[in-house]
Amino acid sequence: MKNIYIILFCLILCNSSCSEDETYLETDYPQENIFAPAEGAMDEESLLRRDFFNATGVYLLFNDTLTTYTVTSLAGESVVVNEIFNPGYAMTSSSWADKYEYIYYDDIELQKSAADFVKNEILTKIPKEMYPFSFLLTDSMFVSKNNYGMFSEPELTNFYNGLQGAVLAPGDLFVLSENEQKVLASSLLKEIIIAQVDKIPAAKFEKFYSYSNEYYDIFSWNIPEPYPSVGLLMTYVYAWGIPFNSAEYDLKAYIEEAFAMSEEEFRTNYAEYPICIEKMEELIKVLESYGIVVYE
């Protein structure tokens, strides 16, 4: 009998909680994919974004407001909520997030040129494994670093990589010469590769690491000088808080240097350090095996 009462009590609770007469928090939050253009939208920007996704599999954004909806509280108060693209989004706490400000493209032709630039000069030179979930393309981007709750002055930057996607701010491409566009593409390509290089299995870089492996993660005063004599570049040596002689930053340093100069310039610059040239060749070999073009 006791068990019957317990069952009846549970049924009453369930019926009460599911009652259609009860008033709960209401929202008109859209159920569709908020990274994609609205279904059925036929304006030029929506068509451009849809065509870009169909061609690349990457969502395209020109504004950091992903969607807007209204939330109504139990007290009947309505609040308009803007869901914003967050470059610094993380699965853990984001209480120390940086601030981001953008100057958007205000012309469809500028949007088209930026989209074509990314499609032809960036995505064709990296494997699909390195494609971000989305691209937010803007004319300009400013980042204010959060230092324990105190924000630095906004700094102009043209790239930021995050879980929700990558932000690129190539500016007005119509005012850049062909050579200037190539330099910009190379710079952005380098940033994307550094941000996504962990998509390539570490085992593929085993030979690259082998050249300087004995000098990884030891005190710098135990490393022979000059550092390039043992295959370590100077790229991050004086960067605060960065372990320049870790495997991670050794790889990033070579990617930085490979994109900073032509192959001939690299060979000339490090002519007295054959180990550096051999590591560069090994790096290029691995990247090219994944379709990444460094030296054309």
Side-chain angles (χ1 to χ4, degrees), residues 212 215 218-238 244-245 250 254 270 273 275-276 279:
S212 306
Y215 302 107
I218 65 174
F219 292 116
S220 59
W221 53 78
N222 291 326
I223 304 174
E225 294 193 49
Y227 297 149
S229 66
V230 293
L232 297 174
L233 303 185
M234 302 294 290
T235 311
Y236 298 111
V237 170
Y238 300 110
F244 81 94
N245 64 319
D250 184 29
Y254 270 85
Y270 292 100
Y273 306 115
I275 187 173
C276 292
K279 287 181 69 173

Side-chain angles (χ1 to χ4, degrees), residues 71-137:
V71 174
T72 304
S73 71
L74 293 174
E77 298 176 341
S78 294
V79 178
V80 176
V81 178
N82 291 320
E83 185 134 349
I84 305 297
F85 178 93
N86 182 3
Y89 171 81
M91 298 298 289
T92 54
S93 173
S94 59
S95 57
W96 298 107
D98 299 331
K99 287 184 179 178
Y100 309 92
E101 302 173 66
Y102 313 101
I103 296 177
Y104 302 122
Y105 287 119
D106 58 4
D107 182 89
I108 188 65
E109 295 304 321
L110 291 173
Q111 293 176 337
K112 287 179 179 179
S113 67
D116 288 342
F117 176 79
V118 170
K119 187 191 302 180
N120 299 324
E121 302 299 329
I122 303 294
L123 294 182
T124 59
K125 298 180 180 179
I126 58 176
K128 289 188 179 296
E129 291 84 353
M130 285 189 174
Y131 284 16
F133 178 75
S134 66
F135 276 117
L136 169 58
L137 301 185

Side-chain angles (χ1 to χ4, degrees), residues 18-85:
C18 297
S19 172
E20 294 181 0
D21 296 330
E22 195 70 36
T23 302
Y24 292 94
L25 192 69
E26 296 180 358
T27 176
D28 65 356
Y29 186 85
Q31 297 301 307
E32 68 270 13
N33 182 352
I34 59 176
F35 280 81
E39 187 175 350
M42 298 300 291
D43 59 281
E44 286 190 282
E45 182 179 312
S46 295
L47 292 173
L48 174 60
R49 293 173 59 201
R50 195 174 290 117
D51 288 344
F52 187 93
F53 177 81
N54 291 337
T56 66
V58 180
Y59 293 106
L60 183 63
L61 307 168
F62 292 106
N63 191 297
D64 69 332
T65 300
L66 298 175
T67 190
T68 300
Y69 55 94
T70 302
V71 174
T72 304
S73 71
L74 293 174
E77 298 176 341
S78 294
V79 178
V80 176
V81 178
N82 291 320
E83 185 134 349
I84 305 297
F85 178 93

Side-chain angles (χ1 to χ4, degrees), residues 259-279:
F259 277 93
M261 58 187 75
S262 67
E263 182 177 6
E264 183 180 353
E265 289 171 334
F266 190 103
R267 292 183 182 279
T268 300
N269 195 51
Y270 292 100
E272 59 183 305
Y273 306 115
I275 187 173
C276 292
I277 295 176
E278 289 182 37
K279 287 181 69 173

